[in-house]
Each structure stands twice: as C-alpha cells, then as structure tokens.
Amino acid sequence: MSTRDDTTDVRDVPTERDDQPLLKISNLHTYFRTDSEDVRAVDGVSLTVDPGETVAIVGESGSGKTVASEAITRLFKSPPGYIPEGSIEINGREITDLSDEELRRVRGGEVSHVFQNPQGALNPVYTIGWQIREALQLHADVSKSEARERAVELLTQVGIPEASSRLDDYPHEFSGGMKQRVLIAIALACEPDLLIADEPTTALDVTIQAQILELLAELQEQRDMGMLFITHDLGVVAEIADRVAVMYAGKIMEKGSVEDVFETPAHPYTRALLDCLPGRGGIGGIPGELPDPRSPPPGCRFADRCRHAIDACRTGDQPGMHRVGDAPDHTTSCVHFEPGRDSSTVLDAGSEPAGSPSPPDDLERGGRR
C-alpha cells in the first residue's frame, strides 16, 4: 500500500537513531463502503508509540478514534470496512498486507485490545478461567494445567482476590470493575508488546476508574509495554498519557507531549475541547456538528465550527502539520501556523476565563504520574 503522506510531521521523519517505534502508523485511511459514497472514518492518520510509552487519542464521539485503533489489527468487519491506503508497522514489520491467519497471530500475541464494555466483551456461557486459558493456548504451546496456573497468576496480577477459586466463576458473578480486570488479564495473557485500550473506564464509576488506570500504569511499567489509549476524557489523558493526538473527523488536528498540548493548545479544536473541562465555562459544548464523513468539506475539517476560520481554511486539503513553538514534537494542522502567518491569532485568543483552574499537577511534572 502507498505510504505517501502530505501531512507528515517532524516526529514521523526518519532519523539516524537505531531504535524504532513499537507502533508506526503512516497515512492510514480506513473506509466503509455504503450504497452511495464511502464513509471516510480514518482519513490520513500518522502517529507512533514507543516501547513503555502511552499515547492517547482524544476527540469527540464520531471523530474516528475507535476505528483507527481497530484498523491496527483489522478488527472491523470487512466488508464493508477496508484500508485503501497507508502503512502500519509493529516492531518494524508491515502488517497491513498480512493474511487473516497471519494477523490472528499478531492479535493477542503482539497486540492486545481492552474494550469499553466488559459485559459485552466476555462470553457469558464460559467460565473466566476457560476464557483466559483459551487466550493462552491460542498463542502459546502450553498444557491445560500450565494454562490454568498461568491464569491464576494473571488474575492475581490484576487484583482479583482469591484468584484460584474464581477461575470457575462466570462473568455475571463479577462486578463491572472486576470484569474489566479480567479483560485486562486476558489481554496480557501472552505478554503483548502493545496494549490498545479503547475507553476502558467509561462504563465504570469514578473510584473504580481510578483503580483501573493505576493498574494499567503499574502493569505497563512492569512490562515496558507500549499503550495506545482511546478516550474522550481529557482528565484521563492528563492522568495516564505521555503524548496525545487530538483527532477530529478522521484527521489528526494536533499532537505532542501532554504537557505541551495542555499548556499551549494550538489548534482551535484542542482549545475548544479544553474549554469544555469543568470550571472553564464551556458548559454548552462545542457549537455545530462533525462534518459528514461521506463527503467531508474542503480545507480544514473543523473550519465550519471554528471562530478563527479564514478563507484559506476552506480551500484545498487539510492543512499540513506545522511545528508549534520550539517543542520538536508539538505540531498542529492549522493554517495559522503556516510560514508567513500569525499564529498568535489562535494562541493569544480565547484565553482561560478568570478563575479557571490551573493545569493538573500531573502536567507540571510532564503529563504522567
């Protein structure tokens, strides 16, 4: 597949260093066929995740976050879904051209997923132990007794009390938070290099959410595992991520370290999302709606909802990625950051209302606890 990307930013430019990203996505497109026009759910996304790093993709519902994460291991239904263009590399190996059988070895073995709804992700007619053993035996040459022993270890690692006695229980015998811990245990069964967590705490109450986030951070540190975290919650991003990519209508609007993006939001969409945080005055949300993914408008996808939009924002393609200030990894897809234009139009506008909270303590320490 073609890997040409007119919006490649400075992070995606090859360097002379010997190490390589764990995950490298280049100019990824993921479409869904309909009776009329294709739905362009992901329309030219590029990002990387390094070993031991957490990268968050954030944006409104419908922005393409989940489809982008599912495209990595082709979890979407095909047809109608397909990848017409782009590259996905895991540990330097291209995986977009793998057969279904080859890709099944990648799923669970090198890349694992944790999904939003634990109730729907677990099979209600099989015990928890059976479901963990199945994941182990699909990817490793282990006996049933060895798989059972490993299942106990995994449940213990994710904080399930009396793990050995819970193996023969069914999903309905676990609370929502415990079900999510079981899903994490299944995802970690074969020690993947990359964990993709898609809104894994949305269905949980605040207390349990904090426990799950802490658990993921601990497990990641123990295993030096990369994590791609999908969320619409900027508070969660501040809690768990090293870098963040802000996604809108199938495109990346801004990306960089959590500290840079939160302290100096460059794209008007990023600023609008931050203004929706409690205490910042954005109670009514962002006016307007996402564009139709079957026929996206020319120019910047956010232009019709942006108070900084000018004529140049509504012509041509989505603006390229341009560096913000001196931070080498902080880039934004906004015409106001093109050479010769005045970026202060965005950066100096829409400042925080008086009395707005300062950035979370996490951000002052670099974005991650």
Side-chain angles (χ1 to χ4, degrees), residues 20-35:
Q20 61 186 4
L22 166 59
L23 169 69
K24 182 178 180 181
I25 299 174
S26 304
N27 196 31
L28 177 66
H29 295 70
T30 307
Y31 296 172
F32 292 86
R33 291 189 175 93
T34 68
D35 292 337

Side-chain angles (χ1 to χ4, degrees), residues 257-270:
S257 73
V258 170
E259 181 178 15
D260 287 337
V261 172
F262 274 63
E263 291 188 352
T264 312
H267 198 282
Y269 179 59
T270 307

Side-chain angles (χ1 to χ4, degrees), residues 262-326:
F262 274 63
E263 291 188 352
T264 312
H267 198 282
Y269 179 59
T270 307
R271 300 177 73 89
L273 288 177
L274 288 168
D275 284 344
C276 291
L277 287 171
R280 299 203 179 197
I283 298 175
I286 305 173
E289 299 178 349
L290 286 151
D292 188 340
R294 294 171 299 179
S295 55
C300 180
R301 300 280 166 93
F302 188 62
D304 287 345
R305 303 172 73 182
C306 180
R307 64 192 181 96
H308 301 292
I310 57 178
D311 289 344
C313 299
R314 295 187 171 89
T315 60
D317 298 324
Q318 179 72 32
M321 299 296 287
H322 302 284
R323 182 172 291 177
V324 179
D326 296 327

Side-chain angles (χ1 to χ4, degrees), residues 99-367:
S99 66
D100 289 341
E101 182 178 352
E102 291 171 325
L103 199 55
R104 275 193 291 270
R105 299 192 190 102
V106 174
R107 298 188 193 116
E110 296 180 66
V111 182
S112 284
H113 293 256
V114 176
F115 298 101
Q116 176 177 342
N117 180 7
Q119 183 65 43
L122 292 169
N123 193 321
V125 303
Y126 291 103
T127 65
I128 293 300
W130 185 94
Q131 294 184 60
I132 298 176
R133 291 196 306 271
E134 181 192 37
L136 284 164
Q137 292 179 302
L138 278 173
H139 296 280
D141 184 16
V142 295
S143 67
K144 186 175 179 180
S145 61
E146 290 172 329
R148 183 180 179 88
E149 182 179 343
R150 176 64 176 145
V152 173
E153 293 176 1
L154 287 163
L155 288 181
T156 301
Q157 285 180 359
V158 299
I160 302 292
E162 302 177 353
S164 60
S165 64
R166 302 302 309 264
L167 284 181
D168 296 324
D169 290 346
Y170 289 85
H172 72 271
E173 298 178 86
F174 289 75
S175 67
M178 288 299 180
K179 287 192 189 79
Q180 193 62 287
R181 289 173 183 268
V182 170
L183 281 182
I184 293 170
I186 293 172
L188 298 178
C190 296
E191 301 187 356
D193 297 320
L194 175 68
L195 182 69
I196 299 173
D198 186 0
E199 304 270 15
T201 60
T202 299
L204 307 175
D205 65 45
V206 175
T207 302
I208 302 302
Q209 172 179 289
Q211 294 174 2
I212 295 298
L213 293 176
E214 184 176 356
L215 172 63
L216 287 171
E218 289 175 357
L219 292 170
Q220 181 186 30
E221 184 175 357
Q222 293 169 9
R223 296 160 178 258
D224 196 32
M225 178 177 62
M227 184 157 61
L228 186 63
F229 199 97
I230 313 302
T231 185
H232 65 275
D233 189 333
L234 289 166
V236 170
V237 173
E239 176 77 14
I240 200 170
D242 300 298
R243 288 190 293 120
V244 58
V246 180
M247 194 167 178
Y248 180 81
K251 297 281 192 182
I252 298 291
M253 299 288 116
E254 183 169 356
K255 55 186 173 180
S257 73
V258 170
E259 181 178 15
D260 287 337
V261 172
F262 274 63
E263 291 188 352
T264 312
H267 198 282
Y269 179 59
T270 307
R271 300 177 73 89
L273 288 177
L274 288 168
D275 284 344
C276 291
L277 287 171
R280 299 203 179 197
I283 298 175
I286 305 173
E289 299 178 349
L290 286 151
D292 188 340
R294 294 171 299 179
S295 55
C300 180
R301 300 280 166 93
F302 188 62
D304 287 345
R305 303 172 73 182
C306 180
R307 64 192 181 96
H308 301 292
I310 57 178
D311 289 344
C313 299
R314 295 187 171 89
T315 60
D317 298 324
Q318 179 72 32
M321 299 296 287
H322 302 284
R323 182 172 291 177
V324 179
D326 296 327
D329 294 343
H330 187 189
T331 57
T332 186
S333 171
C334 178
V335 298
H336 293 290
F337 288 82
E338 291 177 345
R341 294 190 185 273
D342 183 9
S343 61
S344 65
T345 300
V346 177
L347 292 177
D348 295 343
S351 59
E352 294 178 6
S356 292
S358 59
D361 291 342
D362 307 52
L363 300 183
E364 296 177 6
R365 295 193 297 270

